[in-house]
Amino acid sequence: MAPVVTQPMKFLGLDLGWQSGASGLCQLVQDGSHLALVTLQHLMQLSDVLSWIDREIPVHDPMMAAVDAPTIIPNATGMRVPDRLVHRGYGRYHAGCYPANQGRPFAARLVAFGQALEARQLHHAPTLLPRQSGRYQIEVFPHPAMVNLFRLPRSLKYKKGRLADRRRELSRLRHLILTVLPELEPALPIAPTALPAIPETGRALKAVEDQLDSLICAYAAAHYWWWGEARNQVLGSQAEGYIVVP
């Protein structure tokens, strides 16, 4: 039997700007077997993300932060174990991830961010009892999560290419969020007005892309917390780095 949760869990999706870009942030809150969208925004600095957490979520509230960025990077060169496993499992879906090692310019910044979450009592959870109240952080990657959650033949192509093509693919993601996530367990019903419209310009499009990616991260956290390893893959380990995929 799953443990009784006395206080609703909060799920943060953090689509981090790896080097100097802005970050998308989403907060979902558990309501029984459903989720509610509370926050969806775009923040300019990693320090803004940490300040938001400190300001909005009391230190003892149960929560899970799902970070789209490598916060555990043990390897000096080459590719981490979880990056290799994602390529092996999802490369054919065009959903491989960007490799990380300690020589990359973003490495120290992202590892420090993970340590800042640890200092806020958000502990890594490469293993997890389903529906266990606590404070956790995990690494996620939206593209394989979307492939599995939405049963896609390949990842959505809204990152690169012509603006018109990116807008079309991001519109597909928005539609899938609105139509598929309410039917899953835990269910995430969202009113269309709660999601940003798809913009006409590239810079504004990137901001919406970051926000929708953060929503997928937050849902991946809720799915992992709800089902544990029964319906999620954990690729890697805490020592090697790991990525959770629904």
Side-chain angles (χ1 to χ4, degrees), residues 15 39 47 61 66 98 134-135 138 140 188 234:
D15 180 54
T39 305
S47 58
D61 278 14
Y98 192 77
R135 288 175 66 84
I138 58 173
V140 297
L188 176 57
V234 180

Side-chain angles (χ1 to χ4, degrees), residues 212-225:
L212 297 187
D213 278 352
S214 74
L215 190 152
I216 296 297
C217 294
Y219 186 82
H223 191 272
Y224 182 49
W225 180 79

Side-chain angles (χ1 to χ4, degrees), residues 222-237:
H223 191 272
Y224 182 49
W225 180 79
W226 189 262
W227 294 108
E229 293 176 65
R231 296 193 186 180
N232 296 273
Q233 298 173 292
V234 180
L235 304 177
S237 67

Side-chain angles (χ1 to χ4, degrees), residues 5-11 29-32 61-63 133 225:
V5 177
T6 58
Q7 189 175 357
M9 281 289 289
K10 299 178 180 180
F11 303 99
V29 175
Q30 176 210 4
D31 181 10
D61 278 14
M63 64 175 285
S133 186
W225 180 79

Side-chain angles (χ1 to χ4, degrees), residues 15-67:
D15 180 54
L16 293 190
W18 283 26
Q19 298 191 57
S20 59
S23 300
L25 183 149
C26 175
Q27 181 188 186
L28 306 177
V29 175
Q30 176 210 4
D31 181 10
S33 62
H34 287 67
L35 303 165
L37 174 61
V38 176
T39 305
L40 190 64
Q41 60 179 290
H42 205 230
L43 301 174
M44 293 310 299
Q45 304 291 336
L46 296 190
S47 58
D48 296 336
V49 175
L50 294 171
S51 295
W52 186 94
I53 294 172
D54 292 339
R55 183 174 65 251
E56 300 293 334
I57 301 182
V59 69
H60 299 298
D61 278 14
M63 64 175 285
M64 178 179 286
V67 183

